Amino acid sequence: MCGIIGITGSKDAAPLILGGLKRLEYRGYDSAGIATIDGGKIQRVRAEGKLINLEKAITSNPIKGLTAIGHTRWATHGSPSETNAHPHATEKVAVVHNGIIENFRALRLELEGLGYSFCSRTDTEVVPMLVTHYLKEGLSPQDAVVMTLSRLHGAFALAFIFADIPGLVIGARNGPPLAVGYGKGEMFLGSDAIALAHLTSRIAYLEDGDWAELTPGGVTIRDAAGQVVARPIIESAYSGSMVAKDSYQHFMEKEIHEQPGVVGETLKMYINAVDLSINMSELPIFLRDVERVQLIACGTAYYAGLVGKYWLETVAKVPADADIASEYRYRAPLLDKKGLAVVISQSGETADTLAALRYARQAQPTLAVVNVPGSTMTREASAVLYTYAGPEIGVASTKAFTTQLATLACFSVAMGVARGVIDGTQRQELCKSLLEVPGLMSEILKLDRAMQALAHNLMHARDMLYIGRGTSFALAMEGALKMKEISYIHAEAYAAGELKHGPIALIDEDVPIIVLAPSDALFDKTASNLQEAAARGGKIILISDQKGIDAIGDVPNAVIKMPEAHPFITPLLYALPVQMLAYHTAVLKGTDVDQPRNLAKSVTVE
Ligand code: G6P
């Protein structure tokens, strides 16, 4: 949700900033821009739309300077035009911003009253105006920034450069993440470690309220009270090569195909393959006393949470519920001391999920299931279980989802063991089934061609339905989300048993219905719902194993044959065909698969 980057050093900064923006583009692609300091003046190039437009603009109008900031935008206030693109600047200061300045209207009125005139419709532009105002009053850049920060309400990560002090970059954080990167004779700021992966691996994350002064020689970080503080420097695991597409057409395609590997990695971290036990030493001892689990997340991560709810109830026999973070945080849910809040997030930064974590931790232990090391949730939760997906760049989540599932599956077994509700034999059976997942995923990926062929039947659909029961209902929801976010086809998921309570009215011969039905305990029930849909002319695509396919006969218009598997692991497997179907449908439709319209990957605003 907007990516920002800053550099001060001894090299021409604009090309380096562009390299960082390429890595940050997943956070927004409505516009992009760069500002440098050259000869005591702010130079700025901005362009509407994707980064490629900015690259073209810079090629025809190169800007020089050793100090620079850059921005890639996901529009919140003001349309995605060049005028609204960051950096916003006066002749004295240029600013890039991720987040929302909630009191910008009042500040704008005040500044207009003082004679300042605004060019854009953004909330951000009040920031350079305020800094300029304080600079004109005689404050130093540092003091002008501190004064400005004290006037802002909302969530922001900001980076500033100053016409009169080349070599100085100031960064400030209140909400969205901001990392400082350490180089030799150069220093960097970035929304995340990936942005700086081509520049350095030595990273320190600012805490909320921190602001940092960067010069080529180093950084001084101060907290909200103005005290100089040291934030730990970590070695980031991301390297430049890890964020390449390799031979794949899209990041999403690459990430789909990485799943056997990264799910295998995740399982390796949590399962001891020798004695088939769970190794989650990070988990505090209190687990056995937990009487209720609340899983909280947004988007795809929420669907992983829904699967987790089913697993926790059936495997660990603990009452569990899944909640959408933006609902949970404002519902004032009652917090039971014996409850455990589990937040799930690829980025570890999603604003609503983070707010939910902060709410829950007032009274409950919290556990974060997160992919990005060092992210805010990992620092604020009582315990962390990492997913080992590696950097996920495609906006539509794939491998982050299945590694979340792998982690939650192991967690459910660990909880079942801790609570004494599963014995050694059951534990071993569940762990063994999980270890079969990577191999089965590789088999399923061989269906890619068949999926591509099927996608031809879907690409002209206007509406689609996805149905399933139990964990397959959660997977149906994830499948429908994947389809709508990248192919723009309206897709809805229903619990198969709910079909007859309304959505069945939508069915005609133009509506494809994806039925997720592994041959498990609920198969016969879903099969009846499939028949009801087929009887009304619906075009059925059945995703099931040989047993299920045989049982249904020739009713479906198409089948996707999955390997037979232990019912515990089917959510991990059935994720793949719904991802592949969405991917190929989108490719055929020619949509922008990795950067679908209106979306962004890291949602750091409410
Ligand atoms: C956005 C992304 C989704 C993601 C969701 C939650 O909507 O497009 O792919 O599932 O945010 O993000 P998180 O980083 O918290 O998992």
Side-chain angles (χ1 to χ4, degrees):
M1 197 113 303
C2 296
I4 68 176
I5 180 165
I7 295 181
T8 171
S10 54
K11 298 183 200 115
D12 208 9
L16 302 176
I17 293 272
L18 262 180
L21 292 180
K22 280 186 188 154
R23 291 169 166 79
L24 282 176
E25 209 181 3
Y26 73 88
R27 298 176 75 95
Y29 29 82
D30 289 333
S31 66
I34 297 181
T36 62
I37 306 295
D38 186 20
K41 287 210 164 82
I42 289 166
Q43 308 290 335
R44 210 164 39 133
V45 179
R46 300 176 296 164
E48 182 180 335
K50 300 256 166 113
L51 197 55
I52 185 85
N53 300 343
L54 178 69
E55 275 188 283
K56 284 185 197 148
I58 294 238
T59 312
S60 52
N61 177 20
I63 48 172
K64 297 249 157 273
L66 311 179
T67 306
I69 51 176
H71 187 267
T72 175
R73 180 169 187 239
W74 187 82
T76 59
H77 294 63
S79 64
S81 64
E82 185 180 331
T83 318
N84 289 331
H86 300 217
H88 290 284
T90 64
E91 74 286 359
K92 299 250 171 231
V93 61
V95 175
V96 286
H97 166 219
N98 168 25
I100 292 177
I101 311 292
E102 286 168 1
N103 58 333
F104 83 98
R105 281 186 199 83
L107 292 172
R108 190 167 167 142
L109 279 177
E110 176 186 325
L111 286 158
E112 280 171 344
L114 292 168
Y116 290 88
S117 54
F118 286 75
C119 306
S120 79
R121 315 269 308 169
T122 65
D123 53 334
T124 306
E125 206 182 353
V126 296
V127 181
M129 296 292 182
L130 270 177
V131 173
T132 302
H133 176 65
Y134 293 125
L135 287 172
K136 284 186 179 163
E137 285 196 336
L139 297 191
S140 66
Q142 290 81 350
D143 290 343
V145 166
V146 171
M147 272 303 283
T148 300
L149 295 177
S150 72
R151 304 286 318 275
L152 305 180
H153 301 164
F156 47 80
L158 291 160
F160 307 78
I161 54 173
F162 304 86
D164 295 337
I165 316 211
L168 176 66
V169 176
I170 294 183
R173 175 187 181 178
N174 186 37
L178 195 57
V180 173
Y182 293 75
K184 289 204 177 94
E186 49 188 0
M187 293 294 295
F188 316 103
L189 266 183
S191 290
D192 60 24
I194 296 178
L196 306 180
H198 61 315
L199 301 168
T200 183
S201 58
R202 296 180 65 226
I203 301 287
Y205 286 95
L206 297 186
E207 301 277 334
D208 270 348
D210 284 357
W211 66 277
E213 239 179 293
L214 288 80
T215 59
V219 62
T220 306
I221 304 176
R222 289 187 170 78
D223 65 13
Q227 296 299 315
V228 174
V229 286
R231 300 295 177 214
I233 301 174
I234 56 166
E235 200 60 37
S236 156
Y238 298 135
S239 75
S241 62
M242 283 172 76
V243 285
K245 255 187 254 175
D246 300 340
S247 56
Y248 293 95
Q249 205 187 337
H250 298 104
F251 278 111
M252 184 181 179
E253 185 190 17
K254 177 183 175 215
E255 287 158 5
I256 287 174
H257 287 267
E258 279 175 344
Q259 291 177 104
V262 293
V263 167
E265 277 302 305
T266 306
L267 293 170
K268 210 160 76 190
M269 298 306 291
Y270 297 129
I271 297 179
N272 179 338
V274 178
D275 61 2
L276 296 173
S277 64
I278 299 286
N279 166 30
M280 283 186 164
S281 45
E282 302 84 348
L283 287 188
I285 197 87
F286 61 70
L287 267 197
R288 71 172 67 105
D289 300 323
V290 165
E291 287 179 358
R292 166 156 226 103
V293 180
Q294 195 74 32
L295 301 123
I296 313 154
C298 298
T300 288
Y302 166 66
Y303 298 132
L306 260 185
V307 176
K309 162 189 158 71
Y310 283 100
W311 278 335
L312 284 164
E313 286 175 346
T314 54
V315 175
K317 305 276 186 285
V318 61
D321 254 312
D323 235 316
I324 293 169
S326 55
E327 288 298 312
Y328 174 89
R329 65 177 290 196
Y330 291 117
R331 207 180 58 227
L334 303 175
L335 295 174
D336 180 347
K337 280 208 178 83
K338 295 231 162 165
L340 169 72
V342 179
V343 291
I344 307 159
S345 173
Q346 189 286 126
S347 61
E349 303 289 353
T350 300
D352 284 318
T353 312
L354 183 58
L357 166 64
R358 288 174 177 164
Y359 177 85
R361 77 176 179 187
Q362 300 173 91
Q364 290 182 341
T366 53
L367 170 67
V369 176
V370 168
N371 193 41
V372 176
S375 53
T376 310
M377 286 178 215
T378 67
R379 297 199 300 272
E380 298 200 5
S382 345
V384 180
L385 291 174
Y386 280 106
T387 55
Y388 293 88
E392 189 182 64
I393 306 297
V395 166
S397 185
T398 51
K399 62 176 182 168
F401 177 66
T402 44
T403 54
Q404 283 160 356
L405 290 182
T407 307
L408 289 169
C410 293
F411 173 64
S412 308
V413 178
M415 189 115 187
V417 172
R419 291 166 59 78
V421 297
I422 51 178
D423 61 21
T425 314
Q426 288 163 314
R427 183 200 78 220
Q428 289 188 336
E429 179 193 323
L430 295 172
C431 287
K432 187 165 164 290
S433 72
L434 281 170
L435 292 177
E436 285 166 8
V437 168
L440 292 171
M441 280 183 159
S442 298
E443 247 185 71
I444 295 164
L445 288 173
K446 292 185 191 142
L447 298 172
D448 203 48
R449 277 275 168 82
M451 296 292 177
Q452 206 174 0
L454 259 181
H456 278 98
N457 302 335
L458 302 178
M459 64 182 288
H460 300 296
R462 209 191 57 183
D463 305 292
M464 287 177 67
L465 285 172
Y466 284 70
I467 61 168
R469 285 173 182 256
T471 53
S472 293
F473 171 42
L475 264 292
M477 287 195 261
E478 171 58 7
L481 176 66
K482 285 287 88 79
M483 185 59 84
K484 61 188 150 203
E485 65 185 336
I486 60 169
S487 78
Y488 314 147
I489 294 173
H490 170 235
E492 288 298 333
Y494 275 92
E498 274 291 294
L499 204 58
K500 59 177 110 26
H501 297 292
I504 202 162
L506 297 172
I507 295 176
D508 62 24
E509 56 284 357
D510 294 325
V511 180
I513 303 158
I514 313 287
V515 183
L516 292 97
S519 59
D520 56 17
L522 297 171
F523 178 82
D524 290 340
K525 305 283 172 205
T526 310
S528 306
N529 305 130
L530 179 157
Q531 298 284 1
E532 290 153 13
R536 279 142 186 99
K539 279 198 195 125
I540 309 287
I541 298 177
L542 171 66
I543 311 181
S544 186
D545 45 43
Q546 189 63 57
K547 222 164 121 193
I549 292 169
D550 290 346
I552 299 280
D554 61 2
V555 178
N557 297 65
V559 295
I560 296 168
K561 190 178 138 204
M562 298 289 285
E564 268 169 48
H566 193 294
F568 182 49
I569 61 167
T570 52
L572 282 139
L573 306 180
Y574 280 59
L576 270 55
V578 292
Q579 293 167 354
M580 288 192 277
L581 269 187
Y583 172 75
H584 286 299
T585 307
V587 171
L588 288 174
K589 290 193 73 176
T591 58
D592 192 337
V593 172
D594 283 334
Q595 297 179 339
R597 69 183 179 205
N598 305 339
L599 298 178
K601 188 155 188 73
S602 192
V603 183
T604 49
V605 295
E606 288 177 33

